[in-house]
Amino acid sequence: MALNPKCVGTTYPPAQPYPVEPQTIRRFAEAVGDPAPVYTDPAAAHSLGHPDVLAPPTFPFVVVARAMEEVFRYEDIGFDPTYLIHGNQRFDYTRPVRAGDRLVTTLEITGAQTLRGRDVLGLRADLADADGSHVVTTHMTFVSLSAVEGGERDDDQRDDQR
């Protein structure tokens, strides 16, 4: 599969709304090892002026990952996610993500190139609430470790060497 550089600039239709629930936030906070009470205790969130618990800063990736599965196929852009490295990510917030949000994600491919035999895919994801108000934009870079010159996968080459 060859990465298609013509996919740059493609914007996908909005994904289905993602309901942000307190249990999901709690599990995510536990998984990343962040014990801040604002992620699990509504009283802590209220004391800071928020209507409900907040999500940790990197939580939007959960929402974006679901949208990626829903709105595009890796085969269409020629990107093999089998051995994927999340190379870079930046978040630009308008406001924190909080329980009760129903986030809608719009994805755009911002980059597609092959560097040193590895396919590199850039994505931008804009997340908005149910009213259409911007919540956060995330810029991500993914590197496929299975892409090598000639289109062979790394694990295929290892099998040939045995």
Side-chain angles (χ1 to χ4, degrees):
M1 165 179 348
L3 183 63
N4 179 3
K6 293 180 181 178
C7 67
V8 174
T10 302
T11 300
Y12 294 89
Q16 294 296 311
Y18 183 100
V20 179
E21 299 176 355
Q23 318 78 289
T24 309
I25 292 173
R26 178 186 48 75
R27 286 193 306 269
F28 186 86
E30 289 171 355
V32 298
D34 194 332
V38 73
Y39 304 139
T40 57
D41 182 3
H46 292 139
S47 73
L48 296 173
H50 299 284
D52 209 333
V53 294
L54 302 181
T58 56
F59 179 85
F61 183 72
V62 171
V63 181
V64 172
R66 206 268 332 250
M68 288 167 59
E69 290 177 13
E70 181 182 325
V71 299
F72 72 79
R73 295 171 6 120
Y74 289 103
E75 297 84 20
D76 294 343
I77 53 180
F79 188 79
D80 184 354
T82 306
Y83 300 102
L84 183 72
I85 288 181
H86 194 155
N88 185 25
Q89 186 154 337
R90 184 181 88 233
F91 298 91
D92 299 322
Y93 276 91
T94 299
R95 68 160 176 83
V97 173
R98 55 188 172 235
D101 280 338
R102 291 183 53 76
L103 298 175
V104 175
T105 304
T106 304
L107 291 168
E108 176 187 359
I109 297 177
T110 58
Q113 59 183 325
T114 301
L115 298 171
R116 301 173 100 181
R118 305 294 185 210
D119 288 341
V120 180
L121 182 68
L123 291 175
R124 172 188 171 127
D126 292 301
L127 285 73
D129 63 20
D131 296 331
S133 298
H134 179 265
V135 175
V136 61
T137 296
T138 181
H139 304 269
M140 301 157 286
T141 303
F142 299 101
V143 180
S144 174
L145 295 184
S146 56
V148 295
E149 288 180 332
E152 294 179 295
R153 293 177 33 169
D154 288 342
D155 54 353
D156 292 340
Q157 287 181 341
R158 278 192 296 273
D159 289 342
D160 290 344
Q161 294 172 358
R162 292 182 191 161

